[in-house]
């Protein structure tokens, strides 16, 4: 006699976890990201890449080397006598060449991420594109301003000690350190804005170098009398002339910017460029 088959048993379902009740609290802290997080991220980026060390390092070498070499030449000359304000002006050429380094870093701060594709990761980690660009601008501006101001002050002090003579006025010290630092940082910020608009490192750097040098070069080769007014305007409003104004009250023989005018002009230009950069960044794909 055969035994009956065992009764059918339904397959057992895996145990399910109980849904968290109203009193459940995640052990992982959850909060909304803010500008401080973006600033910390951008500071980590800018201080850990080689381009920052190279560009700012070369800028420091140019400002120190050219500034001190100019002071040594003046000090060794028996016929040249400079007052205190003119001694600080010897740092002009080092700052002018160092500006090219700052422009390059400003462009690379964002354009290099477009070249490597890192910008997609950045925008994924921070959904607010405006916050990303604002953080880049703040970190870059603060770094360049502090470094340029400190180096300009050190160079100025060494120049005065080498050349000797009367001490520069307090207002001249302020313009040739803080004023120069602000101006150079704004030029670099303009480079960051152009890099955002162009999204190509080489192209943006070329555009910025053209903006710095081309007006002065064009003015030199304007020989026609009908272009005299245009030539004068290009000479007075070119970037090298604007930097020279910060080391003196105005460009010799001109009626253009004087005093702190270069800072206001550069502030307006950079503000417009950054406004365009914010608008385009939010309106197109990365």
């Amino acid at each position: 006699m055969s035994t009956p088959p065992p009764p059918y048993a339904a397959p057992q379902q895996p145990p399910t976890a109980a849904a968290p009740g109203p009193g459940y609290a995640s052990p992982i802290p959850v909060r909304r990201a803010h500008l401080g997080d973006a600033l910390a991220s951008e500071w980590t980026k800018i201080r850990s890449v080689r381009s920052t060390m190279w560009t700012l390092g070369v800028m420091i070498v140019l400002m120190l080397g050219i500034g001190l070499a100019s002071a040594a030449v003046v000090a060794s000359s028996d016929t040249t006598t400079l007052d205190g304000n003119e001694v600080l002006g010897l740092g002009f050429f080092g700052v002018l060449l160092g500006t090219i380094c700052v422009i390059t870093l400003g462009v690379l701060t964002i354009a290099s991420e477009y070249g490597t594709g890192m910008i997609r990761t950045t925008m994924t980690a921070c959904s607010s594109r405006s916050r990303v660009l604002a953080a880049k601008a703040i970190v870059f501006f603060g770094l360049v301003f502090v470094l340029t101001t400190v180096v300009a002050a050190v160079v100025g002090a060494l120049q005065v000690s080498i050349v000797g003579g009367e001490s520069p006025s307090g207002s001249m010290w302020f313009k040739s350190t803080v004023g120069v630092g602000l101006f150079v940082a704004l030029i670099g910020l303009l480079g960051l804005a152009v890099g955002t608009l162009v999204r190509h490192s080489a192209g943006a750097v070329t555009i910025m170098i053209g903006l710095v040098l081309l007006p002065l070069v064009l003015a030199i080769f304007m020989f026609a009398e009908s272009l005299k007014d245009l030539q004068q305007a290009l000479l007075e409003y070119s970037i090298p002339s604007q930097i020279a104004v910060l080391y003196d009250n105005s460009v010799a023989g001109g009626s253009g910017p004087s005093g702190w005018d270069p800072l206001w002009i550069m502030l307006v230009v950079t503000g417009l460029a950054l406004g365009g950069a914010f608008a385009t960044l939010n309106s197109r794909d990365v």
Side-chain angles (χ1 to χ4, degrees), residues 1-62:
M1 182 174 179
S2 62
T3 58
Y8 173 76
Q12 294 185 353
Q13 300 293 332
T16 57
Y24 173 79
S26 173
I28 302 175
V30 178
R31 62 174 178 81
R32 297 186 62 181
H34 50 73
L35 180 60
D37 299 318
L39 289 173
S41 173
E42 294 304 327
W43 171 245
T44 301
K45 288 181 187 177
I46 200 169
R47 68 183 174 85
S48 59
V49 294
R50 296 178 182 176
S51 58
T52 302
M53 303 300 295
W54 278 106
T55 52
L56 295 184
V58 172
M59 182 199 74
I60 293 172
V61 170
L62 289 173

Side-chain angles (χ1 to χ4, degrees), residues 65-77 82 87 90-91 155-156 158-164:
I66 297 178
L68 298 184
S70 301
V73 170
V74 171
S76 63
S77 176
L82 301 180
V87 171
L90 297 174
V155 172
L158 292 175
Q159 288 173 334
V160 171
S161 65
I162 293 173
V163 177

Side-chain angles (χ1 to χ4, degrees), residues 82-105:
L82 301 180
D83 61 27
N85 292 351
E86 291 174 332
V87 171
L88 292 181
L90 297 174
F92 162 78
F93 297 102
V95 171
L96 180 59
L97 293 178
T99 299
I100 305 299
C101 302
V102 173
I103 288 172
T104 303
L105 179 61

Side-chain angles (χ1 to χ4, degrees), residues 56 59 63 91 95 98-99 102 140-153 172-189 242-243 246-247 260 263 266:
L56 295 184
M59 182 199 74
M63 291 180 64
V95 171
T99 299
V102 173
F140 173 82
F141 182 87
L143 174 63
V144 173
F145 167 68
V146 171
L147 185 62
T148 305
T149 302
V150 171
V151 176
M172 189 60 195
W173 268 113
F174 192 73
K175 282 181 63 177
S176 63
T177 54
V178 176
V180 168
L182 287 172
F183 190 84
V184 172
L186 284 173
I187 295 178
L189 207 57
Q242 301 295 302
I243 297 176
L246 294 174
Y247 283 106
W260 292 90
L263 277 179
M266 186 55 60

Side-chain angles (χ1 to χ4, degrees), residues 272-286:
L272 292 175
L274 275 177
F278 275 104
T280 55
L281 188 64
N282 287 315
S283 62
R284 64 187 180 187
D285 295 333
V286 295

Side-chain angles (χ1 to χ4, degrees), residues 107-108 110-115 191-208 284:
V107 170
L108 292 177
I110 189 166
S112 62
E113 292 196 31
Y114 280 104
L192 189 149
V194 172
T196 306
L197 293 168
V198 177
R199 301 195 295 180
H200 190 274
S201 300
V205 170
T206 302
I207 291 173
M208 286 302 302
R284 64 187 180 187

